[in-house]
Amino acid sequence: MDSFEKRLNEAADRVTVALDALLPRAEGPESQLNSAMRYAALGPGKRLRPFLAIECGRLVNADERGLLRVASALECIHAYSLIHDDLPCMDDDDLRRGRPTVHRAYDEATAVLAGDALQAVAFEILAHPDTHNRGSVRARLVERLSRACGPYGMVGGQMIDILGERQELDISIVTRMHRMKTGALISYAAETACILRDVEPQIRRALEGFAHDLGLAYQITDDLLDATGNAADTGKAVGKDAGQGKATFVTILGVEGAQDRSQHLAAQAKDHLEPFGARADTLKEAVDYVINRRS
Amino acid sequence: MDSFEKRLNEAADRVTVALDALLPRAEGPESQLNSAMRYAALGPGKRLRPFLAIECGRLVNADERGLLRVASALECIHAYSLIHDDLPCMDDDDLRRGRPTVHRAYDEATAVLAGDALQAVAFEILAHPDTHNRGSVRARLVERLSRACGPYGMVGGQMIDILGERQELDISIVTRMHRMKTGALISYAAETACILRDVEPQIRRALEGFAHDLGLAYQITDDLLDATGNAADTGKAVGKDAGQGKATFVTILGVEGAQDRSQHLAAQAKDHLEPFGARADTLKEAVDYVINRRS
């Protein structure tokens, strides 16, 4: 394991420990709900969004305790979105990160509720005074996250994605879909640094540009993995997009075109980090990791 | 229509107008999502939780614009919970307020997403600077709402409710279930007054006690309506609890016992309002309205 992956895993472990303390214990007559939330949020995962929030926050010297809470909230939102995406009425997946999806391990009703509850917990974590001593900062963290995961962000993008199975989308709508579905939350992860600390406009623009390009490169890589990866590596079903006749970057640009696009975006993402010099080396490695990952 | 119902309807209309402006327009490739959100949140409904927030807020002279935003956020959460509760994997209802449920009017995937998005929008509304000029107040509104609708509140209660279809619950667990499922959000509606304004401990305790008793009386009435009402009045399927062998206040206490209990709670709820004198007359009428309603 190279030093970047070690650093990624260390952050993932810290977030898992924090979430273990923040999520409700599996007790009481509702324990099945709490157990399903923990199954989804504490299970294996790269914790890429939390990692981005932590690393971007460190670039601007944000408080470590606040960063860990922001990272935990991000993982709750991500886990909730995966639970609901996997439902039979959505992508209908049985496997996620190599394990049964929540509605397979529990049942559909529990999966719907566990996703709902994880969304609520994410906002509770951000709004709590432990996240930042200024209420206006906490409120801003909430406001921007709700925007990133609501109808203008993640959930809106998922709606376009589903409708895309029934009608042909052009490249501009596919780009918009990904920008909302995956990009908004990745952008938010980087933006939290600028909320936790007052930063200069130049720094804000650098982090925003970085997050934008990385988010899109991430999704193109996802499409490539679905088209060319295998289930053993990815831990989930592959070849689903083509089977469903879904428009993706790969069906529109072809495998090579999509690879070119993701390389180009990766280079651009790293360029945005130049103002930080060597302090941003870990984030630059994160870019390579994102586009070269096999799962 | 008596003057209380007129006042209730006026508040409902104001909240609907506010929500119409706050919810995303049904435009763009994701318009089906926004359309479903609007269908659920702007359709007919008593808007009881928003009404309680507005009336309690007026008792402590809270700012009207902030109250209307809090009321709108409450209705978003309530609408989201109804959409998800009605899903085939949950209560599997085709009818809600006399109209097709969201998954019948649209489809299941859209219903899951519309609920998810309405939850996010609720927090966005609260966290926005227009709700209150102090960030700490906005953060507190978010923190308490997320608590009231997360695993310790509404969603946790819904989990117990579903599990109750498969096993017998005793009166203490049924009470706990209702306290979480319905009571937490009703309590929150009253509590927002104490967050928006700094109030004395005596006032806070009065509003908390009022909300607690009203919430339970509300749910007992729901159980009574399911057992003794008809679909034409209630606008939804009735007799479902007994059909599913579910423990409710009616199956445990009997119809008369449940009626007694709800009368007792109603009297107690009104007693809590004594410190406000005649200024709380509307809220006292609201208590009678809740336990005497036929839908």
Side-chain angles (χ1 to χ4, degrees):
Chain A
M1 195 184 302
D2 68 16
S3 72
F4 171 75
E5 280 188 62
K6 214 172 143 190
R7 200 154 173 178
L8 180 64
N9 289 346
E10 274 169 12
D13 288 345
R14 287 182 64 221
V15 172
T16 304
V17 169
L19 271 175
D20 181 48
L22 288 165
L23 291 173
R25 304 274 117 202
E27 295 169 346
E30 68 277 20
S31 68
Q32 182 169 310
L33 171 71
N34 305 345
S35 168
M37 292 169 71
R38 301 179 77 86
Y39 177 84
L42 303 179
K46 295 184 286 291
R47 312 277 192 268
L48 184 69
R49 291 156 192 78
F51 180 73
L52 288 172
I54 291 171
E55 288 297 328
C56 289
R58 283 177 177 167
L59 278 186
V60 301
N61 300 314
D63 170 69
E64 282 285 329
R65 185 173 72 158
L67 280 181
L68 199 53
R69 293 183 68 93
V70 167
S72 300
L74 270 163
E75 192 60 19
C76 286
I77 293 289
H78 182 55
Y80 124 62
S81 78
L82 297 183
I83 299 175
H84 283 191
D85 282 4
D86 288 337
L87 285 170
C89 67
M90 308 276 268
D91 291 351
D92 193 13
D93 277 312
D94 295 335
L95 213 56
R96 165 72 67 182
R97 294 169 176 165
R99 299 186 307 163
T101 47
V102 174
H103 67 274
R104 299 292 288 174
Y106 296 83
D107 55 40
E108 268 187 71
T110 305
V112 170
L113 293 175
D116 291 346
L118 280 167
Q119 180 170 193
V121 166
F123 291 110
E124 193 184 346
I125 292 171
L126 290 182
H128 191 281
D130 281 352
T131 299
H132 197 281
N133 57 1
R134 275 165 52 203
S136 58
V137 167
R138 304 197 301 273
R140 181 80 181 148
L141 286 170
V142 168
E143 193 194 349
R144 297 300 300 161
L145 177 61
S146 55
R147 189 86 177 178
C149 70
Y152 300 105
M154 187 180 80
V155 174
Q158 175 68 1
M159 182 82 255
I160 303 176
D161 197 14
I162 288 172
L163 296 173
E165 291 166 18
R166 302 173 203 162
Q167 65 198 41
E168 212 160 302
L169 306 180
D170 63 23
I171 183 87
S172 76
I173 297 184
V174 170
T175 306
R176 176 190 168 96
M177 183 267 282
H178 285 316
R179 177 88 198 97
M180 293 165 74
K181 187 183 169 186
T182 321
L185 204 58
I186 289 179
S187 286
Y188 175 77
E191 187 196 352
T192 52
C194 314
I195 301 174
L196 290 165
R197 299 279 293 180
D198 292 323
V199 298
E200 291 166 27
Q202 184 212 5
I203 297 295
R204 173 181 288 273
R205 277 195 302 274
L207 286 172
E208 280 173 1
F210 163 73
H212 176 277
D213 294 338
L214 180 66
L216 210 45
Y218 181 92
Q219 189 59 50
I220 295 176
T221 308
D222 250 12
D223 286 352
L224 280 163
L225 284 170
D226 185 81
T228 65
N230 64 64
D233 278 347
T234 60
K236 60 185 177 185
V238 297
K240 294 194 57 161
D241 296 341
Q244 292 169 347
K246 261 171 75 167
T248 72
F249 283 106
V250 175
T251 62
I252 293 172
L253 302 171
V255 169
E256 276 187 37
Q259 281 166 340
D260 284 353
R261 180 75 63 110
S262 104
Q263 293 287 349
H264 175 74
L265 285 162
Q268 232 174 245
K270 288 191 255 186
D271 285 346
H272 284 298
L273 296 173
E274 282 315 317
F276 301 105
R279 294 184 63 224
D281 281 352
T282 301
L283 280 174
K284 287 181 196 163
E285 287 182 74
V287 175
D288 291 327
Y289 173 81
V290 160
I291 63 164
N292 295 323
R293 74 203 150 93
R294 302 187 62 184
S295 69
Chain B
M1 196 183 301
D2 69 16
S3 72
F4 171 77
E5 280 188 62
K6 214 172 144 191
R7 200 156 173 177
L8 181 63
N9 289 345
E10 275 169 10
D13 288 345
R14 286 182 65 223
V15 172
T16 304
V17 169
L19 270 175
D20 181 49
L22 288 166
L23 291 174
R25 304 274 117 202
E27 296 167 346
E30 69 276 20
S31 68
Q32 182 169 310
L33 172 72
N34 304 345
S35 167
M37 292 169 70
R38 302 179 77 85
Y39 177 85
L42 303 179
K46 296 184 287 290
R47 312 277 190 269
L48 184 69
R49 291 155 191 79
F51 180 74
L52 288 172
I54 291 171
E55 288 297 329
C56 290
R58 283 176 178 168
L59 279 186
V60 300
N61 300 315
D63 170 68
E64 281 285 330
R65 185 173 72 157
L67 280 182
L68 199 53
R69 293 182 67 92
V70 167
S72 301
L74 270 164
E75 193 60 19
C76 286
I77 293 289
H78 182 55
Y80 124 62
S81 77
L82 297 183
I83 299 174
H84 283 190
D85 281 4
D86 288 337
L87 285 171
C89 68
M90 310 274 269
D91 291 350
D92 193 14
D93 276 313
D94 296 335
L95 213 56
R96 166 71 67 181
R97 294 168 176 166
R99 301 185 307 162
T101 47
V102 174
H103 67 273
R104 299 292 289 175
Y106 295 83
D107 56 39
E108 267 186 73
T110 305
V112 171
L113 293 175
D116 291 346
L118 280 166
Q119 181 172 191
V121 167
F123 290 111
E124 192 184 347
I125 292 171
L126 291 183
H128 190 280
D130 281 353
T131 299
H132 197 281
N133 57 2
R134 274 165 54 203
S136 58
V137 168
R138 306 196 300 274
R140 182 80 181 148
L141 286 170
V142 168
E143 193 194 348
R144 297 300 302 162
L145 177 61
S146 56
R147 190 85 179 178
C149 70
Y152 300 105
M154 186 180 80
V155 175
Q158 175 69 359
M159 182 83 255
I160 302 176
D161 197 14
I162 288 172
L163 296 173
E165 292 165 17
R166 301 173 203 160
Q167 64 198 42
E168 212 161 299
L169 307 181
D170 62 24
I171 184 85
S172 76
I173 297 183
V174 170
T175 306
R176 176 190 169 97
M177 182 268 283
H178 285 316
R179 177 87 198 100
M180 293 167 75
K181 186 182 168 187
T182 322
L185 204 58
I186 289 179
S187 287
Y188 175 78
E191 187 197 352
T192 53
C194 314
I195 301 173
L196 290 165
R197 300 278 295 180
D198 291 324
V199 298
E200 292 165 26
Q202 184 211 6
I203 298 294
R204 173 181 290 273
R205 276 194 303 273
L207 287 172
E208 280 172 0
F210 163 74
H212 176 276
D213 294 339
L214 180 67
L216 210 46
Y218 181 92
Q219 189 59 50
I220 295 176
T221 309
D222 250 13
D223 286 353
L224 280 163
L225 284 169
D226 184 81
T228 66
N230 65 64
D233 278 345
T234 59
K236 61 185 177 184
V238 297
K240 294 193 58 162
D241 295 341
Q244 292 169 346
K246 260 170 74 167
T248 74
F249 283 105
V250 175
T251 63
I252 293 173
L253 301 172
V255 169
E256 276 186 37
Q259 281 167 341
D260 285 351
R261 179 77 62 110
S262 105
Q263 293 287 349
H264 175 73
L265 285 162
Q268 232 175 244
K270 288 191 255 184
D271 285 345
H272 284 296
L273 296 173
E274 282 315 316
F276 302 105
R279 294 183 62 225
D281 281 352
T282 301
L283 280 174
K284 287 181 196 163
E285 288 182 75
V287 174
D288 291 327
Y289 172 82
V290 159
I291 63 162
N292 295 323
R293 72 203 151 92
R294 303 187 61 182
S295 68

